[in-house]
């Protein structure tokens, strides 16, 4: 996962799937599913590959996301 990657992830706890595009902080827009590489989820996803479990540190603990798909537009 790199900046400008489109990443499909699955929350290991509840099975919910989400698709985010990692962008620079100035381009972040949650309404468009664009998250900053400096956000907790962005930091947790960077450097991972398909099939990896990314541990994302959030204020109330750690959320594990399985990386299902990575594409580049």
């Amino acid at each position: 996962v790199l900046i400008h990657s489109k990443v499909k992830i699955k929350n290991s706890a509840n099975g919910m799937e989400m698709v985010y595009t990692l962008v620079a902080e100035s381009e972040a827009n949650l309404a468009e599913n664009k998250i900053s590489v400096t956000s907790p989820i962005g930091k947790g996803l960077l450097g991972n590959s398909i099939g990896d479990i990314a541990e994302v540190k959030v204020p109330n603990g750690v959320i594990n996301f399985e990386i299902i798909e990575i594409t580049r537009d």
Side-chain angles (χ1 to χ4, degrees):
V1 178
L2 305 167
I3 191 165
H4 297 127
S5 293
K6 189 178 207 176
V7 186
K8 184 176 186 179
I9 56 175
K10 182 165 82 174
N11 184 321
S12 298
N14 63 17
M16 197 169 120
E17 292 186 3
M18 296 152 276
V19 177
Y20 291 117
T21 302
L22 270 63
V23 296
E25 205 163 340
S26 61
E27 299 174 62
N29 182 339
L30 204 50
E32 296 177 8
N33 291 331
K34 293 180 178 180
I35 58 170
S36 167
V37 292
T38 60
S39 70
I41 293 176
K43 284 183 194 170
L45 294 177
L46 280 176
N48 285 289
S49 303
I50 293 172
D52 287 354
I53 302 293
E55 287 189 357
V56 177
K57 291 175 180 56
V58 292
N60 58 352
V62 174
I63 302 174
N64 291 323
F65 291 106
E66 179 183 354
I67 298 177
I68 298 170
E69 190 178 295
I70 302 169
T71 54
R72 309 237 344 153
D73 288 343

PDB file of all heavy atoms in Angstrom, residues 20-23 25 28 30 34-46 56-58:
ATOM      1  N   TYR A  20     -10.919   2.626   0.509  1.00  0.00           N
ATOM      2  CA  TYR A  20     -10.358   3.962   0.717  1.00  0.00           C
ATOM      3  C   TYR A  20      -9.243   4.204  -0.285  1.00  0.00           C
ATOM      4  O   TYR A  20      -8.541   3.270  -0.679  1.00  0.00           O
ATOM      5  CB  TYR A  20      -9.754   4.108   2.120  1.00  0.00           C
ATOM      6  CG  TYR A  20     -10.755   4.098   3.239  1.00  0.00           C
ATOM      7  CD1 TYR A  20     -10.745   3.107   4.200  1.00  0.00           C
ATOM      8  CD2 TYR A  20     -11.711   5.106   3.351  1.00  0.00           C
ATOM      9  CE1 TYR A  20     -11.661   3.100   5.241  1.00  0.00           C
ATOM     10  CE2 TYR A  20     -12.629   5.112   4.384  1.00  0.00           C
ATOM     11  CZ  TYR A  20     -12.603   4.102   5.326  1.00  0.00           C
ATOM     12  OH  TYR A  20     -13.506   4.105   6.349  1.00  0.00           O
ATOM     13  N   THR A  21      -9.056   5.458  -0.656  1.00  0.00           N
ATOM     14  CA  THR A  21      -7.894   5.868  -1.432  1.00  0.00           C
ATOM     15  C   THR A  21      -6.998   6.674  -0.505  1.00  0.00           C
ATOM     16  O   THR A  21      -7.470   7.600   0.156  1.00  0.00           O
ATOM     17  CB  THR A  21      -8.310   6.722  -2.648  1.00  0.00           C
ATOM     18  OG1 THR A  21      -9.216   5.962  -3.457  1.00  0.00           O
ATOM     19  CG2 THR A  21      -7.097   7.115  -3.482  1.00  0.00           C
ATOM     20  N   LEU A  22      -5.721   6.292  -0.428  1.00  0.00           N
ATOM     21  CA  LEU A  22      -4.783   7.010   0.429  1.00  0.00           C
ATOM     22  C   LEU A  22      -4.217   8.201  -0.328  1.00  0.00           C
ATOM     23  O   LEU A  22      -3.710   8.046  -1.445  1.00  0.00           O
ATOM     24  CB  LEU A  22      -3.639   6.085   0.865  1.00  0.00           C
ATOM     25  CG  LEU A  22      -3.898   5.322   2.171  1.00  0.00           C
ATOM     26  CD1 LEU A  22      -5.080   4.392   2.032  1.00  0.00           C
ATOM     27  CD2 LEU A  22      -2.681   4.587   2.613  1.00  0.00           C
ATOM     28  N   VAL A  23      -4.330   9.378   0.269  1.00  0.00           N
ATOM     29  CA  VAL A  23      -3.910  10.612  -0.393  1.00  0.00           C
ATOM     30  C   VAL A  23      -3.117  11.483   0.580  1.00  0.00           C
ATOM     31  O   VAL A  23      -3.056  11.196   1.776  1.00  0.00           O
ATOM     32  CB  VAL A  23      -5.138  11.410  -0.912  1.00  0.00           C
ATOM     33  CG1 VAL A  23      -5.886  10.636  -1.988  1.00  0.00           C
ATOM     34  CG2 VAL A  23      -6.077  11.783   0.221  1.00  0.00           C
ATOM     35  N   GLU A  25      -2.434  14.743   2.892  1.00  0.00           N
ATOM     36  CA  GLU A  25      -3.339  15.371   3.859  1.00  0.00           C
ATOM     37  C   GLU A  25      -4.213  16.445   3.221  1.00  0.00           C
ATOM     38  O   GLU A  25      -5.391  16.558   3.512  1.00  0.00           O
ATOM     39  CB  GLU A  25      -2.513  15.958   5.005  1.00  0.00           C
ATOM     40  CG  GLU A  25      -3.294  16.083   6.275  1.00  0.00           C
ATOM     41  CD  GLU A  25      -2.414  16.270   7.496  1.00  0.00           C
ATOM     42  OE1 GLU A  25      -1.214  15.941   7.456  1.00  0.00           O
ATOM     43  OE2 GLU A  25      -2.948  16.754   8.490  1.00  0.00           O
ATOM     44  N   ALA A  28      -7.318  14.907   1.425  1.00  0.00           N
ATOM     45  CA  ALA A  28      -8.214  14.029   2.182  1.00  0.00           C
ATOM     46  C   ALA A  28      -9.649  14.553   2.142  1.00  0.00           C
ATOM     47  O   ALA A  28      -9.900  15.745   2.278  1.00  0.00           O
ATOM     48  CB  ALA A  28      -7.731  13.917   3.622  1.00  0.00           C
ATOM     49  N   LEU A  30     -13.255  12.566   3.399  1.00  0.00           N
ATOM     50  CA  LEU A  30     -13.928  11.339   3.809  1.00  0.00           C
ATOM     51  C   LEU A  30     -15.183  11.060   2.994  1.00  0.00           C
ATOM     52  O   LEU A  30     -15.511   9.904   2.732  1.00  0.00           O
ATOM     53  CB  LEU A  30     -14.247  11.383   5.301  1.00  0.00           C
ATOM     54  CG  LEU A  30     -14.409  10.035   5.996  1.00  0.00           C
ATOM     55  CD1 LEU A  30     -13.247   9.103   5.694  1.00  0.00           C
ATOM     56  CD2 LEU A  30     -14.561  10.224   7.478  1.00  0.00           C
ATOM     57  N   LYS A  34     -11.487   9.322   0.570  1.00  0.00           N
ATOM     58  CA  LYS A  34     -10.062   9.632   0.454  1.00  0.00           C
ATOM     59  C   LYS A  34      -9.541   9.942   1.849  1.00  0.00           C
ATOM     60  O   LYS A  34     -10.003  10.888   2.486  1.00  0.00           O
ATOM     61  CB  LYS A  34      -9.844  10.841  -0.470  1.00  0.00           C
ATOM     62  CG  LYS A  34     -10.203  10.562  -1.907  1.00  0.00           C
ATOM     63  CD  LYS A  34      -9.961  11.782  -2.772  1.00  0.00           C
ATOM     64  CE  LYS A  34     -10.268  11.488  -4.227  1.00  0.00           C
ATOM     65  NZ  LYS A  34     -10.044  12.665  -5.059  1.00  0.00           N
ATOM     66  N   ILE A  35      -8.610   9.111   2.323  1.00  0.00           N
ATOM     67  CA  ILE A  35      -8.075   9.332   3.665  1.00  0.00           C
ATOM     68  C   ILE A  35      -6.594   9.676   3.579  1.00  0.00           C
ATOM     69  O   ILE A  35      -5.872   9.202   2.708  1.00  0.00           O
ATOM     70  CB  ILE A  35      -8.308   8.130   4.598  1.00  0.00           C
ATOM     71  CG1 ILE A  35      -7.697   6.851   4.041  1.00  0.00           C
ATOM     72  CG2 ILE A  35      -9.798   7.945   4.872  1.00  0.00           C
ATOM     73  CD1 ILE A  35      -7.693   5.701   5.019  1.00  0.00           C
ATOM     74  N   SER A  36      -6.177  10.484   4.511  1.00  0.00           N
ATOM     75  CA  SER A  36      -4.793  10.941   4.560  1.00  0.00           C
ATOM     76  C   SER A  36      -3.860   9.823   4.981  1.00  0.00           C
ATOM     77  O   SER A  36      -4.199   9.008   5.842  1.00  0.00           O
ATOM     78  CB  SER A  36      -4.694  12.103   5.550  1.00  0.00           C
ATOM     79  OG  SER A  36      -3.347  12.374   5.844  1.00  0.00           O
ATOM     80  N   VAL A  37      -2.670   9.814   4.390  1.00  0.00           N
ATOM     81  CA  VAL A  37      -1.652   8.837   4.805  1.00  0.00           C
ATOM     82  C   VAL A  37      -1.171   9.121   6.218  1.00  0.00           C
ATOM     83  O   VAL A  37      -0.536   8.267   6.828  1.00  0.00           O
ATOM     84  CB  VAL A  37      -0.448   8.797   3.827  1.00  0.00           C
ATOM     85  CG1 VAL A  37      -0.859   8.224   2.487  1.00  0.00           C
ATOM     86  CG2 VAL A  37       0.179  10.167   3.666  1.00  0.00           C
ATOM     87  N   THR A  38      -1.485  10.301   6.761  1.00  0.00           N
ATOM     88  CA  THR A  38      -1.080  10.621   8.130  1.00  0.00           C
ATOM     89  C   THR A  38      -2.177  10.306   9.154  1.00  0.00           C
ATOM     90  O   THR A  38      -1.959  10.437  10.345  1.00  0.00           O
ATOM     91  CB  THR A  38      -0.686  12.111   8.252  1.00  0.00           C
ATOM     92  OG1 THR A  38      -1.810  12.914   7.899  1.00  0.00           O
ATOM     93  CG2 THR A  38       0.497  12.448   7.357  1.00  0.00           C
ATOM     94  N   SER A  39      -3.346   9.863   8.679  1.00  0.00           N
ATOM     95  CA  SER A  39      -4.429   9.474   9.596  1.00  0.00           C
ATOM     96  C   SER A  39      -4.084   8.119  10.216  1.00  0.00           C
ATOM     97  O   SER A  39      -3.250   7.382   9.682  1.00  0.00           O
ATOM     98  CB  SER A  39      -5.750   9.368   8.831  1.00  0.00           C
ATOM     99  OG  SER A  39      -5.716   8.242   7.959  1.00  0.00           O
ATOM    100  N   PRO A  40      -4.727   7.763  11.332  1.00  0.00           N
ATOM    101  CA  PRO A  40      -4.425   6.452  11.941  1.00  0.00           C
ATOM    102  C   PRO A  40      -4.614   5.281  10.975  1.00  0.00           C
ATOM    103  O   PRO A  40      -3.756   4.390  10.902  1.00  0.00           O
ATOM    104  CB  PRO A  40      -5.406   6.368  13.111  1.00  0.00           C
ATOM    105  CG  PRO A  40      -5.654   7.797  13.488  1.00  0.00           C
ATOM    106  CD  PRO A  40      -5.628   8.552  12.168  1.00  0.00           C
ATOM    107  N   ILE A  41      -5.706   5.276  10.212  1.00  0.00           N
ATOM    108  CA  ILE A  41      -5.920   4.172   9.260  1.00  0.00           C
ATOM    109  C   ILE A  41      -4.872   4.226   8.153  1.00  0.00           C
ATOM    110  O   ILE A  41      -4.288   3.214   7.786  1.00  0.00           O
ATOM    111  CB  ILE A  41      -7.354   4.196   8.674  1.00  0.00           C
ATOM    112  CG1 ILE A  41      -8.369   3.900   9.771  1.00  0.00           C
ATOM    113  CG2 ILE A  41      -7.487   3.181   7.540  1.00  0.00           C
ATOM    114  CD1 ILE A  41      -9.819   3.987   9.327  1.00  0.00           C
ATOM    115  N   GLY A  42      -4.620   5.425   7.620  1.00  0.00           N
ATOM    116  CA  GLY A  42      -3.612   5.579   6.569  1.00  0.00           C
ATOM    117  C   GLY A  42      -2.249   5.070   7.011  1.00  0.00           C
ATOM    118  O   GLY A  42      -1.587   4.315   6.294  1.00  0.00           O
ATOM    119  N   LYS A  43      -1.825   5.477   8.210  1.00  0.00           N
ATOM    120  CA  LYS A  43      -0.528   5.026   8.735  1.00  0.00           C
ATOM    121  C   LYS A  43      -0.499   3.514   8.899  1.00  0.00           C
ATOM    122  O   LYS A  43       0.502   2.868   8.612  1.00  0.00           O
ATOM    123  CB  LYS A  43      -0.253   5.669  10.100  1.00  0.00           C
ATOM    124  CG  LYS A  43       0.176   7.098  10.046  1.00  0.00           C
ATOM    125  CD  LYS A  43       0.487   7.575  11.458  1.00  0.00           C
ATOM    126  CE  LYS A  43       0.589   9.073  11.537  1.00  0.00           C
ATOM    127  NZ  LYS A  43       0.656   9.543  12.920  1.00  0.00           N
ATOM    128  N   GLY A  44      -1.601   2.955   9.363  1.00  0.00           N
ATOM    129  CA  GLY A  44      -1.664   1.510   9.593  1.00  0.00           C
ATOM    130  C   GLY A  44      -1.629   0.695   8.314  1.00  0.00           C
ATOM    131  O   GLY A  44      -1.137  -0.435   8.306  1.00  0.00           O
ATOM    132  N   LEU A  45      -2.151   1.253   7.231  1.00  0.00           N
ATOM    133  CA  LEU A  45      -2.210   0.519   5.965  1.00  0.00           C
ATOM    134  C   LEU A  45      -0.917   0.607   5.151  1.00  0.00           C
ATOM    135  O   LEU A  45      -0.586  -0.325   4.419  1.00  0.00           O
ATOM    136  CB  LEU A  45      -3.366   1.035   5.106  1.00  0.00           C
ATOM    137  CG  LEU A  45      -4.777   0.807   5.642  1.00  0.00           C
ATOM    138  CD1 LEU A  45      -5.800   1.441   4.710  1.00  0.00           C
ATOM    139  CD2 LEU A  45      -5.063  -0.668   5.825  1.00  0.00           C
ATOM    140  N   LEU A  46      -0.203   1.720   5.268  1.00  0.00           N
ATOM    141  CA  LEU A  46       1.002   1.931   4.447  1.00  0.00           C
ATOM    142  C   LEU A  46       1.987   0.776   4.601  1.00  0.00           C
ATOM    143  O   LEU A  46       2.248   0.307   5.706  1.00  0.00           O
ATOM    144  CB  LEU A  46       1.701   3.235   4.837  1.00  0.00           C
ATOM    145  CG  LEU A  46       1.117   4.519   4.274  1.00  0.00           C
ATOM    146  CD1 LEU A  46       1.864   5.719   4.826  1.00  0.00           C
ATOM    147  CD2 LEU A  46       1.162   4.538   2.758  1.00  0.00           C
ATOM    148  N   VAL A  56      -4.354  -1.171  13.174  1.00  0.00           N
ATOM    149  CA  VAL A  56      -4.538   0.272  13.184  1.00  0.00           C
ATOM    150  C   VAL A  56      -4.814   0.725  14.608  1.00  0.00           C
ATOM    151  O   VAL A  56      -5.789   0.292  15.230  1.00  0.00           O
ATOM    152  CB  VAL A  56      -5.700   0.679  12.243  1.00  0.00           C
ATOM    153  CG1 VAL A  56      -5.936   2.177  12.313  1.00  0.00           C
ATOM    154  CG2 VAL A  56      -5.388   0.250  10.817  1.00  0.00           C
ATOM    155  N   LYS A  57      -3.935   1.584  15.103  1.00  0.00           N
ATOM    156  CA  LYS A  57      -4.104   2.100  16.471  1.00  0.00           C
ATOM    157  C   LYS A  57      -5.063   3.281  16.439  1.00  0.00           C
ATOM    158  O   LYS A  57      -4.829   4.258  15.744  1.00  0.00           O
ATOM    159  CB  LYS A  57      -2.743   2.518  17.033  1.00  0.00           C
ATOM    160  CG  LYS A  57      -1.839   1.340  17.298  1.00  0.00           C
ATOM    161  CD  LYS A  57      -0.449   1.771  17.750  1.00  0.00           C
ATOM    162  CE  LYS A  57       0.462   0.605  18.022  1.00  0.00           C
ATOM    163  NZ  LYS A  57       0.633  -0.317  16.913  1.00  0.00           N
ATOM    164  N   VAL A  58      -6.147   3.150  17.184  1.00  0.00           N
ATOM    165  CA  VAL A  58      -7.149   4.204  17.298  1.00  0.00           C
ATOM    166  C   VAL A  58      -7.259   4.584  18.776  1.00  0.00           C
ATOM    167  O   VAL A  58      -6.766   3.848  19.631  1.00  0.00           O
ATOM    168  CB  VAL A  58      -8.517   3.733  16.729  1.00  0.00           C
ATOM    169  CG1 VAL A  58      -8.435   3.543  15.230  1.00  0.00           C
ATOM    170  CG2 VAL A  58      -8.990   2.462  17.404  1.00  0.00           C
TER     171      VAL A  58
END
